[in-house]
């Protein structure tokens, strides 16, 4: 199909982009990598009278540690995240997530900020950012605001971003020593959306107990899902096989997936349990190594 007609804008600065968003507030979409938005427009599952392409705006692509947090520019491409030596060395959860998003051609264009701003619970980064307790930085006509990731996803394809705001940065607390993470995904074929997937981030205390725990699921409901009860269960406990199995069971019990061509509700919930267990085991192993 051919998308409905729209006006294309290519601002050269963030201020110019924000002015365009404010001018066309009721009929505008931000184009970052375009790997989610353009297919929706082409299939006419979405529409916009104006597209504001932020791809030529400088200083929105970076990966650096600063002020106790990892800062990722909103326009940073998935391929840059995948290749980053810093991410590979210190953030295995992010590295594993980027590596299973679509295929290399898509990752060369798709952006981390766009993956989050699209608000699709089937996207991979939302669960990862929930597990890492990230913050999203948005800039609009009224200035800059920081949104905790738990307050960012409001509904299916709906986020806390206002129509005249741009996601400019993602901030992730630098993990302390004895931390590890993992993302495990089940897909029908390479590049597909997840049948189910689980993100886990664990920090161990001096005695080997789980000091902090982040667990989140992909494609497990109408919004990206934090498995809060499973997290609370593990905190303070030794991450034994029995404890991990119970946390995985609690995570799966919180899931409310929809039946589709990827599987029935019962199958998806069971896969969420299995993958949560695998992600937690790998996260704990990595935490012990660091």
């Amino acid at each position: 199909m051919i998308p409905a007609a729209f006006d294309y804008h290519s601002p050269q600065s963030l201020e110019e982009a924000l002015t365009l968003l404010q001018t066309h507030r009721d009929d505008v979409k931000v184009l970052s990598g375009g790997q989610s938005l353009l297919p929706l427009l082409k299939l006419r599952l979405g529409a916009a009278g104006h597209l504001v392409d932020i791809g030529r705006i400088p200083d929105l692509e970076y990966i650096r540690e600063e002020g106790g947090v990892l800062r990722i520019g909103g326009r940073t491409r998935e391929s840059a995240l995948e290749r980053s030596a810093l991410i590979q060395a210190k953030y295995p959860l992010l590295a594993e997530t980027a590596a299973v998003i679509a295929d290399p051609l898509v990752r060369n264009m798709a952006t981390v900020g766009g993956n989050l701003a699209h608000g699709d619970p089937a996207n991979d980064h939302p669960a990862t950012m929930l597990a890492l307790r990230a913050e999203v930085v948005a800039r609009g006509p009224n200035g800059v605001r920081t949104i905790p990731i738990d307050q960012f996803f409001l509904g299916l394809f709906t986020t806390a971003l206002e129509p005249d705001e741009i996601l400019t940065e993602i901030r992730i607390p630098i993990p302390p020593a004895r931390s590890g993470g993992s993302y495990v995904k089940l897909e029908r074929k390479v590049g597909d959306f997840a049948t189910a997937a689980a993100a886990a981030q664990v920090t161990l205390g001096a005695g080997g107990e789980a000091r902090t725990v982040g667990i989140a699921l992909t494609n497990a409901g109408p919004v990206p899902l934090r498995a809060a009860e499973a997290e609370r269960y593990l905190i303070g406990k030794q991450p034994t096989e029995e404890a991990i199995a119970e946390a995985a069971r609690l995570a799966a019990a919180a899931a409310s997936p929809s039946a589709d061509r990827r599987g029935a509700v019962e199958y998806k919930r069971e896969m969420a349990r299995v993958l949560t267990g695998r992600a937690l085991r790998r996260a704990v192993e990595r935490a012990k190594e660091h």
Side-chain angles (χ1 to χ4, degrees), residues 11-21 52 54 56-60 139-140 144 165-168:
Q12 304 299 303
S13 69
L14 194 55
E15 291 72 21
E16 183 184 353
L18 292 173
T19 298
L20 287 166
L21 293 183
V52 176
I54 62 173
R56 292 174 175 81
I57 297 176
D59 303 325
L60 288 181
R139 183 169 172 182
V144 177
E165 286 184 321
I166 293 174
L167 192 162
T168 56

Side-chain angles (χ1 to χ4, degrees), residues 96-137:
E96 288 184 345
T97 304
V100 296
I101 290 175
D103 55 50
L105 291 176
V106 170
R107 293 197 292 273
N108 282 335
M109 292 294 295
T111 65
V112 183
N115 192 283
L116 295 175
H118 192 53
D120 188 347
N123 279 353
D124 295 289
H125 275 306
T128 296
M129 298 305 175
L130 283 167
L132 289 167
R133 286 174 166 74
E135 293 180 331
V136 169
V137 179

Side-chain angles (χ1 to χ4, degrees), residues 8-89:
Y8 173 81
H9 307 272
S10 181
Q12 304 299 303
S13 69
L14 194 55
E15 291 72 21
E16 183 184 353
L18 292 173
T19 298
L20 287 166
L21 293 183
Q22 198 168 17
T23 302
H24 306 292
R25 177 185 170 95
D26 296 328
D27 192 24
V28 67
K29 293 287 186 183
V30 174
L31 180 67
S32 186
Q35 302 304 293
S36 296
L37 177 59
L38 293 181
L40 285 182
L41 297 179
K42 183 177 180 181
L43 294 171
R44 300 210 175 194
L45 296 174
H50 300 266
L51 289 189
V52 176
D53 186 350
I54 62 173
R56 292 174 175 81
I57 297 176
D59 303 325
L60 288 181
E61 299 185 44
Y62 52 85
I63 302 167
R64 60 176 180 261
E65 290 183 329
E66 184 179 277
V69 297
L70 172 69
R71 298 173 183 262
I72 302 173
R75 265 277 312 164
T76 301
R77 289 166 295 152
E78 299 291 353
S79 57
L81 199 67
E82 184 181 12
R83 293 193 301 263
S84 167
L86 174 62
I87 297 302
Q88 292 287 344

Side-chain angles (χ1 to χ4, degrees), residues 29 33 39 87 91 135 149 166 178 211 214 240 290:
K29 293 287 186 183
I87 297 302
Y91 302 88
E135 293 180 331
I149 197 67
I166 293 174
R178 293 177 63 79
R211 194 173 75 188
T240 62
H290 291 84

Side-chain angles (χ1 to χ4, degrees), residues 262-281:
R262 295 179 178 86
V265 169
E266 295 78 9
Y267 172 72
K268 290 184 174 184
R269 188 174 285 123
E270 176 63 8
M271 290 303 98
R273 182 191 68 81
V274 171
L275 298 179
T276 299
R278 292 179 184 176
L280 281 170
R281 291 184 196 98

